[in-house]
Amino acid sequence: MIAKLKLAALLIALMFALPAMANPGRWVQEGWKTDFSQSLVDFGEILSGGPPRDGIPSIDNPIFAKAADITNVGDQEPVIQLQIGADVRAYPLQVLTWHEIVNDTIGGSPVAVTYCPLCNASIVFDRRVGDRVFEFGTTGKLRNSDLVMYDRTTDSWWQQFTGEAIVGEMMGEKLKLVPSRIVAFADFKSEHPQAKVLIPNNPGMRDYGRNPYAGYDSASYPFLYRGEMPDGIEPMARVIVVRTSGEPIVVTMEKVRKSAFEQDGYRVEWSGGVNSALDRSRISDGKDIGTVRVTKGGEDIVHDITFAFVAHAFHPDAQIIK
């Protein structure tokens, strides 16, 4: 209880202290070459998350092991399953929690596999924009509690949840989202025993398997968020955001857990046996929150399992179906 009170006090102090840091002059002093004259957002919305640029280091030369040989990932631990063509891989959240971005090439396609713990958002992007291939890193900044990435070619800043460049030369450009889904490691291993699974480049660099955000699932308020809260639902309730060609469909995990959900040809199905990555100190001990699969016409559809406050922040006009 004492630890939780100390954490709450720290979060409150940070929320009031950090907005003053959001100004281009300070960022230029940090060494950014970003064109700050081009921005889609109010700079006051961008807060320091604490670490400096690349303080949370992206993985730029990923290494893998066969799923059948992995012994240090729990059976119910969440992994991002990604398949392009015949190439299928898994990216454990116990690794992504500490790195947030993996610049990889799978099935011949350059991708950025990303995870923002504060938004519980696992999203994969194609790294190509026009005839350029970008490599992404972490800015150390947050907007709506969500990771702000940057590309190492132009120093433009990109919103992880939307894949849109919000500041800099690439302002307004959007990365293509690639379908992926969260599954239990045991299920991935059973179905794809010879497939590649991301492993740390340096196993001693971090305490992989530990959740540095222990208790975040049960928090009453999100970390470093100053936006409007959604009505009629707890801000930390999990929701599924189905990316459509228009306004996204947002439905609660609780509703889908009770029965499959269908709308406009999209089908969302829940299955159990997947730990939360944000509950206990060890991810393998996290509560079973399950996962979903989203399809349309039998094809996997881009979606996120995130928090209600995130869906509301980025899609304020979308109804959250409860």
Side-chain angles (χ1 to χ4, degrees):
M1 177 61 72
I2 293 175
K4 287 187 176 181
L5 289 174
K6 287 182 177 179
L7 176 59
L10 175 61
L11 298 188
I12 292 171
L14 284 171
M15 287 179 65
F16 284 97
L18 290 173
M21 299 178 63
N23 70 80
R26 183 180 294 272
W27 296 332
V28 170
Q29 290 176 3
E30 292 174 4
W32 288 101
K33 306 301 182 184
T34 311
D35 181 356
F36 290 110
S37 70
Q38 301 190 64
S39 177
L40 293 177
V41 302
D42 184 331
F43 289 140
E45 298 176 3
I46 301 175
L47 309 181
S48 170
R53 179 195 340 214
D54 295 322
I56 299 174
S58 61
I59 296 176
D60 305 324
N61 297 290
I63 59 176
F64 300 87
K66 288 193 302 185
D69 295 338
I70 300 291
T71 59
N72 61 341
V73 179
D75 283 350
Q76 290 192 182
E77 282 196 43
V79 301
I80 300 172
Q81 177 175 310
L82 174 63
Q83 181 166 358
I84 298 180
D87 198 344
V88 57
R89 302 183 187 183
Y91 303 80
L93 293 196
Q94 66 159 252
V95 180
L96 267 295
T97 292
W98 296 100
H99 296 279
E100 300 191 353
I101 301 172
V102 180
N103 292 293
D104 198 6
T105 299
I106 173 171
S109 297
V111 297
V113 181
T114 71
Y115 176 60
C116 176
L118 298 181
C119 291
N120 191 53
S122 306
I123 307 174
V124 179
F125 303 102
D126 190 311
R127 293 191 283 120
R128 293 169 290 195
V129 178
D131 59 356
R132 294 198 278 189
V133 178
F134 290 112
E135 180 180 273
F136 291 93
T138 61
T139 61
K141 310 291 190 278
L142 299 168
R143 176 172 171 264
N144 291 332
S145 200
D146 180 57
L147 162 67
V148 177
M149 314 185 295
Y150 79 97
D151 72 74
R152 295 188 172 120
T153 301
T154 72
D155 262 15
S156 296
W157 293 7
W158 302 70
Q159 189 79 59
Q160 184 255 3
F161 194 75
T162 63
E164 183 174 26
I166 56 174
V167 181
E169 176 186 327
M170 301 302 294
M171 183 188 73
E173 294 287 350
K174 291 186 177 181
L175 300 171
K176 178 184 176 182
L177 284 78
V178 180
S180 64
R181 59 192 179 102
I182 293 289
V183 301
F185 177 63
D187 291 340
F188 180 86
K189 186 175 182 177
S190 175
E191 189 172 352
H192 306 285
Q194 302 304 308
K196 294 179 176 180
V197 177
L198 179 75
I199 60 175
N201 291 56
N202 177 2
M205 182 179 183
R206 298 286 190 272
D207 185 4
Y208 296 104
R210 182 174 72 84
N211 163 30
Y213 308 94
Y216 193 53
D217 270 355
S218 55
S220 58
Y221 198 90
F223 182 48
L224 288 175
Y225 178 72
R226 298 188 297 124
E228 182 182 77
M229 293 297 180
D231 291 329
I233 187 172
E234 291 297 319
M236 303 298 288
R238 280 183 169 80
V239 301
I240 298 98
V241 178
V242 181
R243 309 289 184 125
T244 72
S245 57
E247 192 74 27
I249 299 169
V250 185
V251 58
T252 64
M253 180 78 99
E254 182 63 20
K255 181 175 179 62
V256 177
R257 186 185 68 80
K258 293 176 181 177
S259 63
F261 172 81
E262 290 191 61
Q263 181 173 310
D264 300 333
Y266 296 93
R267 181 174 177 83
V268 186
E269 297 176 280
W270 181 90
S271 58
V274 181
N275 297 132
S276 166
L278 298 167
D279 180 29
R280 302 292 185 87
S281 294
R282 305 303 299 181
I283 293 176
S284 58
D285 295 331
K287 61 186 176 184
D288 182 352
I289 58 168
T291 189
V292 299
R293 185 167 194 174
V294 180
T295 56
K296 184 174 185 180
E299 298 292 326
D300 285 325
I301 297 297
V302 173
H303 66 280
D304 314 294
I305 302 173
T306 186
F307 297 119
F309 83 89
V310 182
H312 182 69
F314 290 105
H315 303 293
D317 297 327
Q319 176 192 3
I320 298 179
I321 302 167
K322 300 187 285 288

